[in-house]
Amino acid sequence: MEKAPVLDFESFDTACIVTNLLTYRLFTRIPSFFPKTAGSAAALCTIFASLLAFVLIWIISAVLYRIPRINIIDAAEAAFGILGRKLVSGFVLFYLGVSSIVILCELSEFAKLISFPTAPFAFCAMFFLAAAILGAFGGLDALARLHRLFVPLSLAILALIVVSTLWDADLSNLFPVLGRGAENVFGNGILGIVMYTDIILLFLIAPPKKPRTKVPKITLAAAGISVFAVSAVMFAFTVRIPYPISSEGQFPIYLLLKEIHYGRFFQRIDAILLLAASLCGMLYLSLNLFFFTHILKRDFGVSDTKPLIPVTALTAFFAAIGINFISAQILSVLLFCSGFAVLAIFLLTIIFVKVRRRNFDEKA
Amino acid sequence: MTLKSLILYQSRKAPDLASLTPPQKSAENNPGINSYIKNNIKDKSSFTYRVGKASPVLAENLRFIRDAFECSKNFDMVIREFKIKAENRFIDAFLIFYDGLADQTLINRDIMRPLMTSGISCTSDREFENVVYECMLSQAPNTKICEMQTVIEMVGFGNCAIFVDGCSCAFVADIKGWSKRGVEKPISEAVLSGPQEAFCETVMTNIALVRKILKDPNLIAENIPVGTKSKTTCALMYINGITNISLVKEARRRLESIDTEYIFSSADIEMLIEESTVFPFPQLLKTERPDRAAAQLSDGKVIIIVQGSPFVLILPATAADLVESSEDNYVRVAEANFMRLVRLIGCFLALFLPGIFISVVLYHHESIPTDLLFAIEATREQMPFPIVLELIIMIMSFELIKEASIRVPDPIGSTLGIVGGLILGQSAVSAGIASPLLIIIVSITALGSFAAPSVSISRALSVMQFVFIFLGSTAGFTGLAFGTFVLALYLASSRSFGVPYISALDESESPFVISPIWRREKRPAALLPQRSIKQPHISRKWKGDA
C-alpha cells in the first residue's frame, strides 16, 4: 500500500502540533512570569504578549509559505550562505536542548508535586525520558497522530478549568488595571513572548509543497485558539488568585486547580490535569528530541540518528537532574535568552528573504 | 506442477536440468513437493515417473497412483477398475477417489453408468479422449488434467479421477461429498435484528454466501492454495474497480509466500500474514457473518476465506474496526450511536479502570471524596494482602471462571457463572480476602471487556489491563499517562497492510459516530480505493422530487 500523505501545513495534525507547542507551557511555572512582571495586570500583559506572538507567527508564516519546499534552515542558507545555515541550526539545537531540559524539569516537578511528594525527582523524570525516547523512535508521523488524539483532550481540560474558575471570579483582582505600571506591562511584558517560542518547530516541520499567497487558515486558527487559551487561563488565574499570592512562583495552573471543587464526587481534578499535562508533555519532549536528532542528521552530517536518540535524551535527563539540584533559575534565564535569540534569527532571516526575494525564489 | 516437481522424476539422461536442482534440498528440506511419491517409487523408467504426466499406458498410471497414494496402507482409497463400453470393444479404465470425501452416488450415476453402458464410436485415441470428456461424463465440473501432481492434489480434495487406457490425461470430476455443517446462526457475532446466517467450514459455500449478498460481477474470488502439503484453499476476495490494487497485490504476495506444510484454519493464516506478533490488538478482522464481510468488501477491503474455517479474515484492520459491531447497521442511528458509546466506555473501563482504581487509592486520594476514601480504607483494614495483589487475585479468579465456562458444556456454564461470580465473590468478601469495592471494580471491568465487539479485542484488553495495573501501582496517573502514551504511540506507528492503524482519525467521518446510511457517501480514504464515492451527495432523490 502507498503510504498516507505525510504531515502538511494544512493538515489538522499540524494544527494540533501548533496548539500543543503554544499552550504547553501553561502546565509549567513559566506563566508565573506574568504576575511577577505585571502584578494585577497579568492578564493584560498575557494578552499583549499573546497578540505580539500571534502577529509574529503570522509574519513568519506569511513570508515562509510563499516559498515552496524550504524550511527556515534552508531559508537561512539561501539568505546567509552555509554559515547562516550552520548558525541557525546550531541556535535551534541549543534552544531545543534548553527547552527540553526545562520542560523535563518542570514536568517532573509537576508530577512530583501532585503524585509523589516524597519520591526523588529522577523517578518522575524517568517516565518522561522513556516516553520521549520511544516517541522519537516512533517518528513524526506517529507523533502527529498522537497530537490529534491528546491535544483536543488537553484543550478540553483547560477549558473546563477556565469555566470552573470563572464561576467564582473576583473581578476586583484585576485592579489596578495597569498593575505594576505600564512600563512593566508593555515593556518587560514583551519578554512574555517566550511562552510561544516553541513555534519555531512549526517552521521546521514541513515546508509547503506549493507557494501560497496566504497563510493556511487552519494554522492561523490553531495559533489563534492557542493564544486565546493561554490568555483565558491567565485571565482566570488573575481573577481568581489575587496579587501578590499569584506571583509566588508556583505552578499557576495548579494554584488555579486547587480553587476548583466539583461537589462530592470529584473533590479535585488534579489527577486528570496531571494526565493531560503528562501526555502533552511527553508529546512535546518526543517532538523536541525528534527534531534535535533530525537537525543533527540533516545539518551536521550525523548519519545514523537512532543511537543518538537515547544518548541525547539521557544527556537531557542528567542535565535536568543536575540543574534542578543547583538552581532552576539558571534554566529560566537560559530559556529566555535562547528563545529570544532564536526569534531574532528567524526574523532576520525573514527580513533577508523578503529583501532578496527574487534571488531566493530562483534557489528554491 | 512446479519445475522442481518435474525435475524430481527426471531420469539421469538430463544432467543439465538435474544440475539445476539444489542438492539434497528437494525432499529433505522441502518435503512438501512429491516427497511422499518419491519415497515409494520403485521403477523410475516409465513415462509417468519421468515427466510427471499421465501416461497413455493405463498400467503405468495405475502403478504410479498406487505408489503415490500408498494404496496398500490407505484403506479409504478406492481404486475401481472397469471397462468402458465402445462400439465394438471394451476399453480398460480405472477411477480413484477417497471414500468419505467423494459422493459415491454421483460416481455411480454420472460417471460409471454412462461410461459402462453407452457405446462409444471413435477412430483415434485423441477423438476417443474428446468423446469421453464431452459426451460421456455428465458431471458438470469436469476437467482434463495431464499433470499427475495436480491429479493427486485434486483427489485429495474430494474429487474423482478417471484414467482411460490410451488417454494421456486424467478426467477429474468434482464430486466432493464429504460431511459438512450447513449454514447456521452466528455464535460469536450474534445480532438481534440482522441476518442470521454464518459462514461454515466449506470455502465454496462461504464464497457463495458473499456473492449472494453483493451480486456484483466484479467481485473476484482468487484461489490461492496455501501449505506445501495440505494445499488448503484460500479464497482471496475483492471487488475489482473498488479495492486498491496495491492492497490486493500485497495480500496475494503474503499468501503466496507462505511456506509451511499444513494450514488448519484462518487463525494460522492470520498469524502468518500479520505484521507484528506482539501487537496487542488484532491486525486482521475475523468475522463469521457474510453480511459483515460483504459490507467490508464494498468499502474496498479484501477478505480471505480459508477452507475448513468458519471465520473469514478481513484486511486491513484499523482501530475504528475494533469498536464496530454488525448490529450497528441494523438499528436506528441514535440507537447505534448509543450502543457504540456504551461499547467505547466498556472498552475504556476494561482497559483502565483497575489501573485508575489503584492509582487513586495509592497516590491520588484527593481525587475522591473524603467519606468515600474513609469507606475504602475501612473496608481494607482487615485485608491481609496489599491492594495490588488483592486486585490481581480477583481479576485472575474472574479470568479463571471465564476460561472454565468456555470449556464446560452449555448447561453447566450458567451454573459455573453463578458459582464463580456470586458465591465465590461473596465468600471472598466474607472471608476477608477481598473488599466489596474491589469486587465491584473487578465486576465492572469484566462487564466492560464483554462489551467489546469481538473476543480477540476482549482478550487483548484483559491482557493490557495488567500493564496498567502495574504502571498505576508504580507511578499513579503519571504511570497511566506513560502507558497510554506508549500504547497510543504503538498504535499510531503500526500499519495493517500498509494502512495506518489509527487512520480513521484522519478522515472527516469520525469512527466514534455512526452517520445515517444516506450520509455515508465515501469509502474510507485510508484504503485509497479506486472509486472513493459510494453514493452521490443526494442519495435520497425522492426528497428532491417531493
Side-chain angles (χ1 to χ4, degrees):
Chain A
M1 282 285 287
E2 293 159 44
K3 281 186 90 174
V6 285
L7 208 57
D8 198 5
F9 263 120
E10 285 97 314
S11 69
F12 183 66
D13 293 347
T14 315
C16 289
I17 292 176
V18 169
T19 310
N20 194 37
L21 291 173
L22 295 182
T23 56
Y24 186 69
R25 290 186 177 185
L26 276 175
F27 299 112
T28 66
R29 276 176 290 208
I30 297 168
S32 64
F33 161 83
F34 293 110
K36 272 182 193 167
T37 309
S40 59
L44 186 65
C45 186
T46 313
I47 292 166
F48 172 65
S50 302
L51 282 176
L52 274 182
F54 184 75
V55 171
L56 212 62
I57 292 165
W58 186 72
I59 292 170
I60 297 178
S61 312
V63 176
L64 210 61
Y65 285 8
R66 283 168 197 270
I67 310 149
R69 296 179 188 283
I70 64 162
N71 62 22
I72 194 82
I73 295 177
D74 301 324
E77 187 183 352
F80 308 114
I82 195 77
L83 187 69
R85 182 182 187 93
K86 297 276 178 197
L87 200 69
V88 173
S89 307
F91 262 104
V92 171
L93 279 183
F94 180 72
Y95 174 78
L96 289 179
V98 172
S99 175
S100 300
I101 296 168
V102 170
I103 296 300
L104 189 59
C105 275
E106 294 284 318
L107 201 56
S108 309
E109 279 292 332
F110 191 61
K112 191 166 143 53
L113 182 73
I114 293 181
S115 300
F116 324 97
T118 54
F121 170 83
F123 175 73
C124 304
M126 194 181 68
F127 285 96
F128 300 112
L129 173 87
I133 293 173
L134 293 172
F137 272 121
L140 189 60
D141 218 20
L143 286 174
R145 286 173 198 284
L146 289 198
H147 274 84
R148 182 184 274 261
L149 277 176
F150 297 142
V151 172
L153 176 80
S154 159
L155 276 183
I157 289 172
L158 287 177
L160 185 74
I161 291 170
V162 170
V163 170
S164 310
T165 33
L166 285 179
W167 199 256
D168 290 326
D170 183 2
L171 292 177
S172 65
N173 288 345
L174 290 172
F175 298 100
V177 175
L178 287 178
R180 294 182 62 203
E183 190 187 329
N184 275 320
V185 175
F186 299 112
N188 296 337
I190 294 175
L191 292 173
I193 292 181
V194 84
M195 278 286 288
Y196 304 105
T197 43
D198 282 326
I199 194 67
I200 62 166
L201 287 184
L202 172 68
F203 306 112
L204 298 172
I205 289 171
K209 286 170 188 161
K210 290 175 186 172
R212 298 193 165 273
T213 49
K214 286 180 181 173
V215 180
K217 279 179 190 164
I218 194 156
T219 313
L220 272 188
I225 289 170
S226 307
V227 295
F228 175 76
V230 173
S231 306
V233 170
M234 288 314 293
F235 178 77
F237 180 67
T238 314
V239 294
R240 200 63 201 264
I241 315 280
Y243 181 77
I245 301 169
S246 60
S247 63
E248 277 176 358
Q250 271 292 341
F251 292 91
I253 197 96
Y254 182 63
L255 287 176
L256 200 57
L257 205 66
K258 283 176 106 58
E259 297 294 314
I260 304 170
H261 294 279
Y262 279 112
R264 278 179 63 80
F265 193 66
F266 276 104
Q267 293 284 39
R268 293 196 192 119
I269 57 166
D270 308 18
I272 296 170
L273 181 76
L274 176 65
L275 199 67
S278 302
L279 286 172
C280 291
M282 286 166 186
L283 282 177
Y284 178 91
L285 289 172
S286 305
L287 205 64
N288 262 14
L289 191 56
F290 175 82
F291 275 108
F292 193 93
T293 49
H294 179 71
I295 293 169
L296 277 179
K297 182 182 179 182
R298 217 184 123 163
D299 299 319
F300 293 94
V302 178
S303 55
D304 189 7
T305 53
K306 288 205 169 164
L308 212 64
I309 290 173
V311 172
T312 314
L314 280 171
T315 311
F317 176 67
F318 288 118
I321 292 173
I323 290 170
N324 193 58
F325 185 67
I326 303 164
S327 167
Q329 291 298 317
I330 301 171
L331 268 183
S332 302
V333 174
L334 268 178
L335 183 69
F336 271 71
C337 295
S338 58
F340 271 95
V342 169
L343 269 185
I345 286 175
F346 274 31
L347 276 177
L348 205 61
T349 304
I350 292 303
I351 291 164
F352 266 78
V353 167
K354 195 84 179 154
V355 171
R356 299 165 60 185
R357 181 71 204 284
R358 190 174 297 169
N359 181 24
F360 200 82
D361 280 349
E362 282 166 14
K363 284 198 176 183
Chain B
M1 179 179 272
T2 61
L3 180 63
K4 256 185 194 172
S5 54
L6 282 174
I7 290 164
L8 207 61
Y9 302 110
Q10 198 69 38
S11 70
R12 287 184 183 178
K13 287 173 186 172
D16 50 337
L17 274 179
S19 64
L20 290 173
T21 317
Q24 287 95 40
K25 202 178 172 184
S26 53
E28 288 79 3
N29 296 346
N30 193 1
I33 301 171
N34 292 344
S35 64
Y36 51 98
I37 301 171
K38 184 187 170 236
N39 293 337
N40 294 287
I41 290 171
K42 291 155 189 101
D43 176 16
K44 290 185 183 174
S45 60
S46 71
F47 174 84
T48 312
Y49 287 125
R50 248 187 1 260
V51 296
K53 288 192 174 179
S55 166
V57 182
L58 190 71
E60 269 191 24
N61 290 333
L62 186 61
R63 197 167 65 247
F64 179 89
I65 288 294
R66 282 196 167 129
D67 280 340
F69 286 103
E70 302 217 25
C71 291
S72 57
K73 294 176 188 168
N74 278 324
F75 78 100
D76 60 335
M77 166 51 70
V78 178
I79 298 183
R80 168 78 160 86
E81 292 177 58
F82 61 99
K83 289 185 189 300
I84 297 174
K85 187 183 176 190
E87 201 175 28
N88 47 7
R89 62 193 171 113
F90 286 97
I91 300 158
D92 290 334
F94 73 90
L95 59 79
I96 52 164
F97 62 92
Y98 274 113
D99 192 7
L101 283 185
D103 187 336
Q104 293 206 26
T105 316
L106 290 177
I107 293 175
N108 292 337
R109 193 187 66 200
D110 297 338
I111 299 172
M112 297 288 281
R113 188 179 295 165
L115 288 175
M116 292 175 82
T117 54
S118 315
I120 300 173
S121 159
C122 52
T123 51
S124 66
D125 285 347
R126 183 75 191 161
E127 197 185 339
F128 175 68
E129 194 176 301
N130 288 337
V131 170
V132 170
Y133 181 65
E134 288 162 10
C135 309
M136 304 204 67
L137 293 170
S138 56
Q139 180 61 30
N142 199 350
T143 44
K144 277 198 286 188
I145 293 168
C146 297
E147 309 293 341
M148 288 303 265
Q149 176 66 29
T150 316
V151 173
I152 290 163
E153 282 164 13
M154 294 187 82
V155 170
F157 198 41
N159 295 291
C160 168
I162 305 126
F163 289 89
V164 181
D165 195 22
C167 297
S168 55
C169 68
F171 304 97
V172 179
D174 187 352
I175 43 147
K176 296 182 194 81
W178 57 63
S179 303
K180 62 186 177 187
R181 195 166 62 102
V183 176
E184 292 173 6
K185 277 188 172 185
I187 298 166
S188 63
E189 286 177 281
V191 295
L192 292 175
S193 45
Q196 302 294 331
E197 277 182 340
F199 285 121
C200 60
E201 283 77 6
T202 318
V203 73
M204 297 311 287
T205 311
N206 291 347
I207 293 173
L209 285 171
V210 177
R211 279 201 190 279
K212 193 176 74 178
I213 297 169
L214 288 174
K215 300 179 197 78
D216 186 345
N218 288 322
L219 177 64
I220 308 291
E222 290 180 16
N223 175 23
I224 301 176
V226 181
T228 49
K229 279 193 175 181
S230 67
K231 300 281 180 194
T232 307
T233 305
C234 293
L236 181 78
M237 292 185 80
Y238 56 92
I239 300 178
N240 211 0
I242 292 178
T243 314
N244 187 337
I245 294 298
S246 309
L247 177 64
V248 177
K249 276 183 187 167
E250 181 59 22
R252 195 187 292 130
R253 187 183 72 82
R254 288 192 196 186
L255 276 177
E256 284 174 345
S257 59
I258 293 172
D259 190 4
T260 186
E261 287 188 350
Y262 297 100
I263 293 291
F264 299 104
S265 69
S266 57
D268 293 359
I269 296 287
E270 183 188 6
M271 280 186 270
L272 286 162
I273 63 173
E274 69 185 358
E275 246 104 351
S276 164
T277 311
V278 293
F279 191 73
F281 295 107
Q283 294 156 75
L284 283 90
L285 289 179
K286 267 194 233 175
T287 184
E288 59 171 343
R289 298 186 60 87
D291 55 325
R292 192 176 184 200
Q296 299 279 359
L297 277 170
S298 73
D299 269 349
K301 292 194 178 181
V302 171
I303 69 169
I304 298 171
I305 303 175
V306 181
Q307 172 67 32
S309 179
F311 287 95
V312 164
L313 301 174
I314 301 169
L315 54 103
T318 59
D321 298 324
L322 302 186
V323 289
E324 194 185 291
S325 160
S326 303
E327 187 88 48
D328 293 347
N329 297 320
Y330 302 116
V331 292
R332 298 190 59 75
V333 174
E335 209 178 317
N337 274 308
F338 177 70
M339 288 190 324
R340 186 168 281 195
L341 180 69
V342 170
R343 271 200 299 279
L344 279 169
I345 293 171
C347 292
F348 177 84
L349 291 175
L351 189 60
F352 291 108
L353 187 64
I356 291 174
F357 174 71
I358 286 287
S359 302
V360 168
V361 171
L362 292 181
Y363 298 99
H364 305 283
H365 304 111
E366 75 286 348
S367 297
I368 46 176
T370 319
D371 297 344
L372 184 58
L373 186 66
F374 283 152
I376 294 171
E377 289 303 318
T379 54
R380 294 227 59 257
E381 257 181 5
Q382 306 295 323
M383 298 299 136
F385 303 116
I387 190 148
V388 180
L389 192 60
E390 199 183 314
L391 184 63
I392 290 173
I393 288 172
M394 290 317 295
I395 290 178
M396 286 308 293
S397 309
F398 166 71
E399 291 295 329
L400 204 64
I401 295 167
K402 202 162 79 174
E403 193 60 25
S405 59
I406 296 170
R407 306 275 167 266
V408 297
D410 282 348
I412 310 171
S414 54
T415 320
L416 189 78
I418 295 165
V419 172
L422 293 176
I423 300 175
L424 199 66
Q426 184 60 41
S427 308
V429 172
S430 308
I433 297 169
S435 60
L437 188 68
L438 196 85
I439 300 285
I440 295 171
I441 296 290
V442 172
S443 308
I444 294 172
T445 308
L447 287 174
S449 73
F450 285 136
S454 88
V455 182
S456 52
I457 298 160
S458 167
R459 283 181 183 147
L461 293 174
S462 300
V463 173
M464 292 300 297
Q465 72 186 4
F466 286 100
V467 178
F468 283 95
I469 291 172
F470 171 74
L471 288 169
S473 62
T474 314
F477 270 47
T478 310
L480 290 186
F482 175 74
T484 310
F485 179 82
V486 174
L487 180 64
L489 183 77
Y490 197 21
L491 292 180
S493 54
S494 298
R495 283 170 183 271
S496 171
F497 285 81
V499 176
Y501 202 69
I502 54 173
S503 59
L505 295 172
D506 296 344
E507 290 163 25
S508 52
E509 279 188 25
S510 166
F512 306 119
V513 181
I514 303 163
S515 48
I517 193 162
W518 50 268
R519 287 193 66 186
R520 296 178 211 161
E521 290 153 9
K522 289 181 180 175
R523 297 191 165 85
L527 298 174
L528 303 174
Q530 292 183 54
R531 213 168 52 238
S532 60
I533 305 292
K534 249 199 265 190
Q535 58 194 25
H537 183 55
I538 298 169
S539 52
R540 297 185 299 171
K541 293 199 168 141
W542 57 268
K543 279 242 168 189
D545 297 342

